[in-house]
Amino acid sequence: LLGVFGLGEPSVRLTLGYVLTVEFVPHPRHGFLIHVGEVGFWDHDFVMVGASYRLNYRAFEARLGYLYRRSLDGGQGAPVFAVGFRF
């Protein structure tokens, strides 16, 4: 789920979208990911593109990247950082 907020009146609605992620794995512990997506098939709320790097070491996983969202109101960039453990 992704919340989208603006300057207008708040409304409750569900907007469908998609995200396509392609991963290149040059080494089992390392991966480079490309992300492309769109939210709002008919309204075209925003389009998202980005890239990230994944490090996988035993039970530890970390991701670092950057996403850029483009909408009718303008653009917004956001860093991506995630840490996780697998059991």
Side-chain angles (χ1 to χ4, degrees):
L1 295 176
L2 176 66
V4 178
F5 302 95
L7 297 176
E9 290 292 321
S11 66
V12 178
R13 69 179 179 143
L14 177 67
T15 303
L16 298 177
Y18 65 90
V19 174
L20 174 67
T21 301
V22 177
E23 182 174 13
F24 304 102
V25 185
H27 188 274
R29 292 185 182 170
H30 305 277
F32 298 98
L33 295 93
I34 304 294
H35 312 276
V36 177
E38 179 186 14
V39 173
F41 291 120
W42 299 276
D43 295 334
H44 303 293
D45 291 335
F46 67 85
V47 174
M48 177 195 75
V49 294
S52 62
Y53 166 75
R54 178 189 55 81
L55 172 66
N56 190 9
Y57 183 73
R58 297 185 186 181
F60 174 78
E61 182 173 313
R63 290 186 188 212
L64 180 64
Y66 192 79
L67 295 174
Y68 182 75
R69 286 188 348 193
R70 181 74 180 157
S71 67
L72 296 176
D73 297 333
Q76 176 186 18
V80 174
F81 178 72
V83 175
F85 295 94
R86 293 180 303 187
F87 298 102

